[in-house]
Amino acid sequence: MEDKNAKLVIFSKGDDKFIEDIANKLSAYYEIKRITINMLHMEKLEEWMKWADICWFEWCDELLVYASRLDIAKEKKIICRLHSYEAFTNYPARVNWACVDSLIFVSETIRRYAINTFGIDEKITTVIPNGVDLAHFNFENRNQGFNIAYAGYINYKKGPMLLLQVFKALYDSDNRYKFYIAGQFQDPRYSLYFKQMVAEFGLEKNYYFEGWQKNLDKWLEDKNYILCTSVLESQNMSVMQAMAKGIKPVIHNFVGASEIYPNKYLWNTISEAVFTIRDNEYNSGEYRDFVVDNYSLDMQLKSTVSLLENISIKIKKQVNQNQKLRREFSEKEDNSTFEYIHDKMNEFISYETNDFDSFDFTTAKAIIGKRERFNRYELIEFILNNSQNKKLIINSIWYDLYNKEYILPEQIRNSKNSDEILLIASDIIKKDVVYKNNIAGFISDPEIKADVEQNYLAYMWERGIPASQFLPINVYLRIAERYTFAAGYMNKESRVLEAPCGFGYGAAYFSRICRSVEAIDIAEDNIRFANQAYRQSNIHWNRGDVTCLPYDTGEFDIYVSFEVFEHLPAEMTIKYVEEAYRVLKKSGKFIISTPNKAMRRNVHNPFHIKEYEFEEFSTILNKVFDSVEFYSVEKFKVEKGMKKTANNMIAVCEK
């Protein structure tokens, strides 16, 4: 390869036996690091991703789920190898596939299943079977014999009961057959079962469980047949390794087996397995040649290097393009971007100056917060809680790293307590922190910390608690744009409903603009938080369900409902929209948003029941409302009309 200094990191949780041979070979082309990640120290992933040019995830598991959602994942080339078992878990549904450049499958059967089940883009997938290092398995011409081998784990997918049944039938045909197992029970129940059935079958003198073997080549030396009883495999490498030695394969016709092995090696019934072992056909050279011609390590290496070469070319193109873009964008343009973010965040602040003035700071402590880097600035945000259990959310304090000065929103700058707030902010910025995705979050409240640890996935996907690491700038901006858009339909006489209201910052923002706000949410802890954080007299917080609103007919001028459609069972969406129609006054407006499924083919939020494309979304709304206008959310901005490339859809429905 042209670039022998490219950096490749291989991640696993320690179960990387399948990558060992190929990693050794690839070290001739790349600077390689093999990193074992403990689930308690996931921050190590980001550290090593920063070091690498290409990130290889040996399994499609928690590591890839976590890594694919880091900001740095957008900058790196990511490869994952999905073996088999992962396709039957929910891990692929949680991966952000938009950040994965190549997904390697070991077999075509597993590839088709994963694509159909999880909606993975077929363009990023390829099949590269595992390869046998032929130098590790000594070949010799063999003959029929009586030693039957099984090598590998013993678990549910290996067909453990069928394994013993085949050997029992073989033993009944000729008691000279002996059964040898090199492996490990992955469930003690199988170990107990084997002990019982070996005794019941009277096989004690012909059955040898010899445990895991470090030198499989040596262990296989005196074996005549390799037996497989699996229900599903990607390949079954122990069978191929035995074939490389010239041992005859006896393979159950597992799902996908016929796409890997010749039919002559496969059996469907116990009697067929016995016949295959006892017939006179035995051709060691044929078995070895099958592996040489189809599944050698050299073939696997060639395909893998070719894939990596293509990715390396893309890296070089991306680097060149990034350099060009950096030359094109000036500091002035960076500043204009900052001004937009700064102004939009200040516009969306839910408090007035008197809210900061009236808060009791004498016992206040920061219970959760964050520092977030953006160009030459650092955003400092946090939530205060005092002895009266009142909360104050501090947003949009910026620290200019060049000029060493703070930039405060007007509401805080004009408050008599601005010095108190600045003192807390300066204490936060002095502390040593570790950044992840340019964010250094902290949680000092033990109850919040325990809840986050217990429901971390929910916080990452759904629980965007304000002023925390779970609500980064880019997400907050999208939210702010939607709320300021909705506010454009309100005036000082408007009676507004927001459902669900989440943590309440949207309803609190509306309270500055309209006459009154009714805010409901089905989650009691959300309502409790909002009550403690927002004490505006024209907001009423209430627990409720969007499909059965606790209000009279025709109460509201405006009903705002963001990002709830996708959380409802499909049969409840009409009830939800009908309830919206019911509680609105004549000419009242229902403002609703939901993700655009067409742009989320590789995004699988585990908390979304169903996502919608425009046509289906439009059909449901038009069944209830006569007048519906659609808007698109793209690159933070809300624009009139429905674009296919929109990240989110907004509809303004008039009664």
Side-chain angles (χ1 to χ4, degrees):
M1 289 180 63
E2 184 178 332
D3 184 2
K4 292 190 177 183
N5 294 318
K7 296 176 179 177
L8 172 65
V9 61
I10 299 172
F11 292 112
S12 77
K13 292 182 295 185
D15 43 0
D16 54 357
K17 60 182 180 294
F18 289 107
I19 197 67
E20 187 166 352
D21 288 337
I22 199 164
N24 292 337
K25 298 285 186 181
L26 288 174
S27 62
Y29 304 98
Y30 293 92
E31 183 179 349
I32 290 182
K33 300 289 185 184
R34 292 170 61 182
I35 305 299
T36 299
I37 298 292
N38 184 308
M39 294 300 293
L40 297 176
H41 300 286
M42 295 289 271
E43 68 276 3
K44 295 292 184 182
L45 264 172
E46 187 170 7
E47 291 179 26
W48 283 105
M49 287 177 75
K50 288 178 180 178
W51 171 85
D53 299 306
I54 302 172
C55 303
W56 179 300
F57 289 83
E58 178 56 6
W59 302 86
C60 182
D61 58 14
E62 302 100 319
L63 301 188
L64 181 65
V65 171
Y66 181 89
S68 67
R69 304 202 171 279
L70 297 173
D71 281 351
I72 196 172
K74 301 170 186 175
E75 305 169 14
K76 300 295 180 178
K77 296 299 180 185
I78 294 179
I79 298 171
C80 171
R81 192 155 68 138
L82 192 156
H83 293 250
S84 173
Y85 91 91
E86 309 102 291
F88 304 95
T89 69
N90 70 336
Y91 292 133
R94 293 159 52 195
V95 172
N96 178 13
W97 292 110
C99 288
V100 178
D101 298 272
S102 185
L103 176 59
I104 301 171
F105 291 91
V106 179
S107 78
E108 176 61 27
T109 299
I110 302 298
R111 187 183 82 97
R112 288 197 305 269
Y113 176 84
I115 289 172
N116 293 334
T117 303
F118 302 106
I120 298 169
D121 185 356
E122 188 173 349
K123 293 178 183 176
I124 70 168
T125 68
T126 188
V127 176
I128 302 178
N130 284 315
V132 178
D133 190 341
L134 297 166
H136 288 173
F137 294 91
N138 296 316
F139 170 77
E140 68 174 61
N141 280 303
R142 300 167 185 272
N143 298 305
Q144 290 176 284
F146 295 97
N147 291 341
I148 315 298
Y150 171 87
Y153 288 114
I154 298 176
N155 54 39
Y156 70 95
K157 81 166 190 175
K158 301 293 185 177
M161 290 178 281
L162 188 56
L163 194 65
L164 282 182
Q165 294 290 336
V166 169
F167 183 64
K168 167 61 173 169
L170 189 62
Y171 173 83
D172 287 346
S173 70
D174 190 327
N175 62 14
R176 289 177 293 176
Y177 284 105
K178 295 181 179 180
F179 186 32
Y180 297 85
I181 294 180
Q184 181 179 325
F185 290 103
Q186 290 191 305
D187 186 324
R189 287 173 290 190
Y190 293 129
S191 177
L192 293 173
Y193 174 78
F194 268 55
K195 287 179 181 178
Q196 172 179 301
M197 296 311 296
V198 165
E200 291 288 338
F201 288 158
L203 301 176
E204 296 96 326
K205 294 181 179 180
N206 295 65
Y207 168 79
Y208 304 90
F209 181 80
E210 300 185 335
W212 203 260
Q213 300 293 311
K214 292 184 178 179
N215 189 338
L216 187 62
D217 176 63
K218 183 178 179 181
W219 184 82
L220 286 168
E221 195 62 38
D222 62 347
K223 309 304 186 293
N224 305 104
Y225 305 91
I226 183 75
L227 179 60
C228 166
T229 56
S230 296
V231 297
L232 186 142
E233 292 278 359
S234 55
Q235 285 176 248
N236 198 315
M237 286 302 292
S238 62
V239 169
M240 291 186 175
Q241 290 163 342
M243 291 174 71
K245 288 184 67 64
I247 296 173
K248 184 176 182 176
V250 185
I251 306 166
H252 182 227
N253 190 14
F254 60 77
V255 178
S258 61
E259 295 182 358
I260 301 170
Y261 296 98
N263 286 332
K264 63 192 296 185
Y265 301 157
L266 306 180
W267 55 270
N268 294 299
T269 66
I270 292 174
S271 59
E272 288 178 7
V274 172
F275 176 81
T276 300
I277 292 172
R278 299 203 65 189
D279 74 4
N280 293 324
E281 183 177 349
Y282 201 109
N283 191 335
S284 292
E286 176 188 301
Y287 312 143
R288 170 82 173 191
D289 289 344
F290 171 76
V291 177
V292 171
D293 294 340
N294 298 281
Y295 296 102
S296 70
L297 179 61
D298 287 341
M299 294 177 70
Q300 183 188 12
L301 178 64
K302 184 177 180 180
S303 297
T304 304
V305 168
S306 176
L307 174 71
L308 292 172
E309 280 180 335
N310 290 332
I311 288 176
S312 295
I313 291 170
K314 292 179 183 178
I315 290 173
K316 291 175 183 177
K317 288 182 178 179
Q318 183 176 321
V319 169
N320 292 336
Q321 186 176 6
N322 289 346
Q323 290 173 342
K324 182 180 179 182
L325 288 173
R326 279 196 290 270
R327 288 193 296 268
E328 291 176 356
F329 285 97
S330 65
E331 181 68 24
K332 179 180 179 181
E333 287 168 318
D334 285 340
N335 284 337
S336 66
T337 303
F338 169 74
E339 292 299 329
Y340 155 70
I341 294 173
H342 172 267
D343 293 347
K344 178 57 67 176
M345 290 180 68
N346 286 358
E347 179 186 356
F348 188 52
I349 288 176
S350 305
Y351 297 120
E352 302 283 7
T353 296
N354 67 295
D355 294 308
F356 297 102
D357 287 344
S358 60
F359 186 77
D360 181 5
F361 282 85
T362 56
T363 59
K365 294 181 180 179
I367 57 174
I368 188 171
K370 68 167 181 177
R371 291 163 57 180
E372 184 169 2
R373 292 170 171 169
F374 180 80
N375 292 341
R376 57 183 272 189
Y377 303 96
E378 189 157 1
L379 174 64
I380 306 163
E381 297 187 317
F382 49 92
I383 299 176
L384 297 175
N385 194 66
N386 62 24
S387 58
Q388 294 88 45
N389 210 22
K390 301 297 184 183
K391 292 180 172 58
L392 188 69
I393 300 171
I394 308 298
N395 293 112
S396 198
I397 294 180
W398 296 86
Y399 184 67
D400 187 333
L401 297 168
Y402 288 4
N403 296 319
K404 307 296 183 185
E405 62 183 18
Y406 291 93
I407 304 170
L408 303 178
E410 183 179 0
Q411 296 94 321
I412 294 178
R413 189 170 63 249
N414 293 336
S415 171
K416 66 180 183 180
N417 289 317
S418 61
D419 288 343
E420 295 280 355
I421 295 170
L422 265 180
L423 184 62
I424 297 170
S426 62
D427 285 342
I428 291 172
I429 208 166
K430 289 175 184 175
K431 293 179 180 178
D432 292 330
V433 293
V434 176
Y435 290 87
K436 299 179 182 179
N437 302 328
N438 290 317
I439 298 177
F442 68 88
I443 304 173
S444 56
D445 182 277
E447 289 186 13
I448 297 176
K449 190 172 184 179
D451 190 53
V452 169
E453 290 175 352
Q454 185 175 354
N455 302 290
Y456 187 74
L457 190 62
Y459 277 89
M460 290 296 290
W461 279 102
E462 295 291 338
R463 291 185 63 75
I465 189 168
S468 77
Q469 68 203 65
F470 304 106
L471 201 58
I473 292 171
N474 60 336
V475 177
Y476 194 75
L477 280 175
R478 292 190 183 98
I479 293 171
E481 286 286 0
R482 284 199 289 268
Y483 275 103
T484 54
F485 166 80
Y489 290 89
M490 302 173 190
N491 57 48
K492 291 183 178 180
E493 298 303 316
S494 297
R495 180 162 164 75
V496 175
L497 167 65
E498 188 190 12
C501 64
F503 287 101
Y505 45 79
Y509 165 69
F510 290 149
S511 74
R512 296 171 47 194
I513 300 164
C514 63
R515 179 162 63 101
S516 66
V517 181
E518 290 288 320
I520 71 169
D521 199 283
I522 201 167
E524 186 175 350
D525 54 344
N526 283 354
I527 295 299
R528 184 168 56 252
F529 179 95
N531 255 319
Q532 294 170 351
Y534 304 108
R535 294 167 292 282
Q536 291 88 331
S537 60
N538 62 341
I539 308 177
H540 179 242
W541 306 101
N542 193 16
R543 190 177 179 195
D545 184 341
V546 295
T547 64
C548 186
L549 294 169
Y551 301 107
D552 294 334
T553 298
E555 278 201 47
F556 299 100
D557 300 290
I558 306 291
Y559 174 11
V560 177
S561 189
F562 289 153
E563 310 301 290
V564 65
F565 213 66
E566 61 277 9
H567 293 277
L568 296 174
E571 65 272 13
M572 296 301 293
T573 53
I574 283 291
K575 177 64 176 171
Y576 161 54
V577 178
E578 288 173 344
E579 275 290 271
Y581 186 90
R582 181 183 67 80
V583 300
L584 285 172
K585 297 177 182 177
K586 180 65 176 175
S587 300
K589 292 179 172 59
F590 177 45
I591 305 173
I592 176 176
S593 75
T594 192
N596 177 18
K597 182 181 178 181
M599 292 299 290
R600 293 167 60 86
R601 298 299 184 193
N602 298 319
V603 179
H604 301 277
N605 186 324
F607 299 96
H608 287 184
I609 294 175
K610 176 177 170 57
E611 295 184 355
Y612 296 82
E613 294 191 14
F614 170 68
E615 290 77 11
E616 193 173 7
F617 183 50
S618 173
T619 298
I620 294 171
L621 295 177
N622 280 294
K623 284 181 180 178
V624 180
F625 286 91
D626 294 327
S627 174
V628 183
E629 287 187 346
F630 289 95
Y631 295 79
S632 301
V633 181
E634 191 176 37
K635 296 180 180 178
F636 308 114
K637 301 293 186 180
V638 178
E639 299 178 4
K640 191 169 184 178
M642 190 59 221
K643 293 184 177 181
K644 291 183 178 179
T645 55
N647 300 113
N648 289 74
M649 304 177 286
I650 295 181
V652 180
C653 313
E654 185 172 341
K655 180 173 179 178

